[in-house]
Amino acid sequence: MELKQVGEFGLIDLLKDNTIFDSSSVVVGIGDDAAVTLPTPRQLQLLTADMLVEGVHFALETTAPWQLGYKAVAVNLSDIAAMGGTPKHAVISIAVPKHTQLDFLTNLYDGMKEICREFGVNIIGGDTVSSPQGLVINVTVAGEVEPTNLVRRSGAQIGDIVVVTGPIGNSAAGFDLLTKGNWEDYDFAWPLVTAHLTPRPQVKAGRVLAEYGATSMDDISDGLASEANEIASASGIGLIIRAADIPLSPEMIQAAGLFEKQAIDYALYGGEDFQLLFTIKPDQYRLLANQDIGVQLTAIGEVVEKAAGVVLIDRNGNRTALEPRGYNHFR
Ligand code: ADP
Ligand code: MG
């Protein structure tokens, strides 16, 4: 059945079931002019939005609607995680071509609802309009954080250690497999393709890192090089990153071989890993490294004086400026 047979209101009726996963903080969900939520006293509110445009951020040839829905929410939860917070509510707006199949939209929402259920996030509203061409999805997420746990990009200090929460570059390698190859033919492809299509936001880790005193934090959406430069410029410091210490998965290294690329380039310039990049004092890091926080922490560098810039030390010990050339929409 096509969307135009049920119309806007019929569609909203179909999508609005199973959207509240933590009813304690929702007074009014989908169905009124605005949603009404009950904030936790003395917590700061976090708000973030991400828009995905067909042909720019995704192609329907390489992603299933369920995966697309999952990812559209995941990228927002990752931004809340990078502030040290807990995601609470989502508002979802879609612009839909009128020949879209209803099944497509219910699958899209099933993916959204799945990740919302996993993370206890409520879908409390949105907007539905028609699009003359291509699907557009905008997700806005509200979250909360204890004032003492808020972690910004701007807090890195000289002497801090630079750490990541997991392997970097899997998503970019997964993207190449999806778009250039018959990825089903390669036994190493699955974790990479999964990392690209259904990334897991590091919400729990983000909270723990905040508790342990992370001084700055960013989620890796545009590539490690780009995020490192973001932290450096926001904090007014320099960074030294050791290429040899950046965690690369064996599967990603195999994919790099297949495409005759340098594995390290996937990590530095690929993006969409949604791992967390953070800085922390060395003694706090030692405490943290002894805990099992459900992710593999790896120290990859140090915070240095601003004049040093953002520097990459490659495997041969050569130092070069680490340029922020990740994905940039207007270049
Ligand atoms: P209004 O015209 O007052 O803005 P709508 O008729 O557009 O309200 O929407 C009705 C209800 O459905 C509202 O609660 C709105 O937030 C919700 N809603 C509309 N579109 C979506 C969507 N794509 N996803 C989730 N909720 C939606
Ligand atoms: Mg209204």
Side-chain angles (χ1 to χ4, degrees):
M1 207 196 304
E2 284 186 10
L3 174 57
K4 61 182 183 202
Q5 290 169 260
V6 295
E8 177 190 341
F9 300 109
L11 175 67
I12 296 169
D13 255 355
L14 276 174
L15 303 179
K16 72 169 193 264
D17 290 340
N18 296 318
T19 49
I20 304 298
F21 301 102
D22 169 21
S23 59
S24 68
S25 57
V26 182
V27 181
V28 179
I30 292 175
D32 214 317
D33 294 311
V36 183
T37 64
L38 188 67
T40 309
R42 284 178 291 281
Q43 299 246 334
L44 299 176
Q45 187 175 50
L46 304 168
L47 289 166
T48 185
D50 258 293
M51 182 139 73
L52 301 182
V53 177
E54 184 178 349
V56 178
H57 302 93
F58 63 90
L60 295 177
E61 295 76 51
T62 52
T63 184
W66 192 95
Q67 297 165 326
L68 182 59
Y70 189 99
K71 184 169 181 174
V73 173
V75 300
N76 283 277
L77 303 194
S78 180
D79 282 320
I80 298 290
M83 305 300 284
T86 304
K88 302 284 289 182
H89 310 290
V91 175
I92 298 168
S93 297
I94 50 177
V96 192
K98 69 169 178 288
H99 295 294
T100 303
Q101 294 290 319
L102 219 43
D103 264 4
F104 177 96
L105 292 172
T106 52
N107 288 333
L108 179 81
Y109 266 70
D110 283 346
M112 292 174 171
K113 289 173 189 178
E114 172 57 26
I115 186 168
C116 284
R117 188 190 58 73
E118 269 178 68
F119 289 90
V121 173
N122 305 305
I123 301 173
I124 57 171
D127 200 16
T128 307
V129 297
S130 69
S131 163
Q133 207 195 332
L135 174 68
V136 180
I137 305 168
N138 181 79
V139 179
T140 300
V141 168
E144 291 181 340
V145 63
E146 296 271 342
T148 50
N149 275 9
L150 177 67
V151 187
R152 302 182 55 178
R153 291 178 182 175
S154 53
Q157 288 176 348
I158 295 171
D160 288 354
I161 295 181
V162 181
V163 187
V164 290
T165 55
I168 314 294
N170 282 4
S171 175
F175 175 80
D176 272 357
L177 283 161
L178 281 165
T179 52
K180 295 182 184 168
N182 305 318
W183 65 267
E184 293 93 340
D185 295 349
Y186 303 102
D187 55 7
F188 57 80
W190 178 245
L192 306 175
V193 165
T194 303
H196 184 73
L197 292 177
T198 51
R200 275 194 68 78
Q202 299 289 1
V203 173
K204 178 161 171 268
R207 269 201 308 264
V208 176
L209 300 175
E211 295 274 351
Y212 275 81
T215 52
S216 72
M217 188 148 63
D218 204 349
D219 66 321
I220 301 180
S221 51
D222 298 330
L224 183 55
S226 174
E227 312 303 345
N229 276 275
E230 298 280 356
I231 285 181
S233 74
S235 298
I237 46 86
L239 291 174
I240 291 181
I241 305 290
R242 298 178 300 268
D245 290 340
I246 297 173
L248 310 177
S249 73
E251 292 87 357
M252 191 273 268
I253 292 168
Q254 281 184 278
L258 176 68
F259 296 116
E260 296 178 354
K261 289 193 177 176
Q262 300 296 320
I264 191 73
D265 286 348
Y266 277 135
L268 292 173
Y269 309 114
E272 299 211 328
D273 288 300
F274 302 107
Q275 297 292 343
L276 298 172
L277 171 70
F278 66 98
T279 58
I280 189 166
K281 302 244 159 310
D283 33 339
Q284 286 302 109
Y285 184 61
R286 271 188 289 278
L287 288 178
L288 192 56
N290 288 325
Q291 307 294 316
D292 178 11
I293 68 162
V295 293
Q296 182 62 53
L297 297 178
T298 311
I300 61 165
E302 268 93 42
V303 179
V304 295
E305 67 285 355
K306 182 182 168 83
V310 179
V311 174
L312 182 74
I313 305 183
D314 71 16
R315 282 171 187 276
N316 304 318
N318 299 318
R319 294 174 170 241
T320 48
L322 182 57
E323 304 287 350
R325 53 181 172 92
Y327 190 78
N328 180 321
H329 281 270
F330 298 105
R331 270 211 306 251

